[in-house]
Amino acid sequence: MSPRKYTLLIIPEGSHRVRRFSIKRGIIQSALGGVVICVLALSLLIFDYSRIHFDRSELRRLQAENLRQRNEIQTLAADLQNLRKEMVILTQNDAKVRVLANLAKPKSDGTAGMGGPPEEETVAEFSELQRQIDQLRRTIDLRRESQEEIRGFLNDQRSMMAAKPEGVPVKGWMTSKFGMRKSPFTGKRKMHEGVDIAARTGTPIHASADGIVSQARTAPGYGKLVVIDHGYGYKTYYAHNSKIHVKVGQRVKRGDQISAVGNTGSSTGSHLHYEVRLNGVPVNPNKYF
Ligand SMILES: [Zn+2]
């Protein structure tokens, strides 16, 4: 059993008078309770304070990071702006090349001819940046398509150039022109569908353009004949050969030796009868010399 009352004695130093306090147990319990509550409240306060302190430093750190990221986004936005400007120049160049190549106007993505003052304060929005990147990507895709088309066109041009007859196929001298003439055999006026170039038998004859050998045989009148199909409607005929060096289906390049000058078929002397036909119609080879 604990006592109901406690007695507190206070004896001051160097004195004989004793102070005596009588305290009820309830009061002591209340005082102890008060102390416990005070301690609890204080520690709560300290905890709260340190948390606020921590939060504040975290806030400062986040603010600094936020600022850094904003700066990075600004830099990215500026870079993107420069890329868009370069893209506009590329688009304009593309359009010029297409004009040179006689190609239709390129598909527009709405960015061609864009420009104006830089939109500096608003571009830092992240969604705006994303939108601009998407647009740039679409522009790049369109330019890529256009470049492919130009490349295809240039390839066509190159093969067309390579397919067009050019130059004289043999070293010699022209003895008969293209056009109406008196036939050396019948004496009647007749169309001469090519040119005759006289040269010694065995003189090499060269293809006047790239193509595929479509005939290599002896033909009535023509004697030993080589015909090259160049595509794009062009064919060349080489007649009266003494020798043929190519086979049907063989691919030849301009300048390749295909045969040798001779006197086979209806011929009055060693020469090359050379024809250029465009879409099946003999044309004047002189235009291609
Ligand atoms: Zn002839």
Side-chain angles (χ1 to χ4, degrees), residues 39-255:
V39 166
L40 274 176
L42 196 69
S43 34
L44 257 174
L45 214 66
I46 289 169
F47 174 72
D48 218 37
Y49 173 78
S50 59
R51 210 182 55 188
I52 285 171
H53 186 76
F54 174 77
D55 282 356
R56 195 179 290 159
S57 60
E58 181 71 2
L59 184 69
R60 269 198 294 271
R61 197 182 64 76
L62 286 176
Q63 277 173 336
E65 181 154 325
N66 188 265
L67 189 70
R68 193 175 54 77
Q69 284 179 346
R70 277 182 71 88
N71 285 337
E72 277 177 9
I73 289 175
Q74 290 281 6
T75 311
L76 271 181
D79 284 353
L80 193 58
Q81 191 69 25
N82 286 334
L83 276 180
R84 289 173 73 202
K85 280 182 196 159
E86 282 176 32
M87 203 61 221
V88 168
I89 293 169
L90 276 181
T91 303
Q92 287 165 350
N93 285 346
D94 187 49
K96 282 180 199 162
V97 172
R98 292 181 71 91
V99 167
L100 287 177
N102 275 324
L103 290 173
K105 272 192 174 179
K107 283 179 221 155
S108 180
D109 47 20
T111 59
M114 257 181 24
E119 311 137 35
E120 297 221 334
E121 67 289 293
T122 49
V123 286
E125 288 293 327
F126 206 77
S127 57
E128 172 65 12
L129 282 182
Q130 191 59 53
R131 196 186 63 77
Q132 290 190 6
I133 288 171
D134 288 347
Q135 196 183 42
L136 202 57
R137 194 169 289 142
R138 278 196 301 276
T139 312
I140 288 170
D141 282 347
L142 284 175
R143 289 293 75 73
R144 188 180 294 134
E145 276 176 36
S146 177
Q147 297 289 309
E148 285 292 315
E149 202 184 337
I150 291 169
R151 203 166 60 93
F153 168 80
L154 288 178
N155 274 339
D156 279 359
Q157 284 280 305
R158 203 172 51 186
S159 32
M160 208 157 87
M161 293 288 278
K164 199 175 169 185
E166 193 185 289
V168 187
V170 71
K171 276 182 191 151
W173 55 98
M174 185 102 67
T175 50
S176 185
K177 288 183 182 170
F178 174 87
M180 294 303 289
R181 69 167 185 184
K182 206 180 256 183
S183 166
F185 298 101
T186 60
K188 287 183 185 164
R189 279 181 70 76
K190 198 179 171 243
M191 181 69 187
H192 186 222
E193 298 185 327
V195 293
D196 293 338
I197 301 160
R200 258 179 224 280
T201 295
T203 307
I205 295 172
H206 306 278
S208 56
D210 291 8
I212 293 168
V213 176
S214 64
Q215 292 185 45
R217 64 184 178 110
T218 301
Y222 283 118
K224 286 189 177 168
L225 171 72
V226 174
V227 178
I228 302 175
D229 190 339
H230 305 285
Y232 302 95
Y234 283 111
K235 277 185 184 174
T236 49
Y237 284 59
Y238 310 80
H240 311 307
N241 298 290
S242 58
K243 259 185 189 157
I244 292 177
H245 298 299
V246 290
K247 290 196 173 96
V248 170
Q250 189 177 329
R251 225 166 242 286
V252 292
K253 289 268 172 202
R254 175 180 289 142

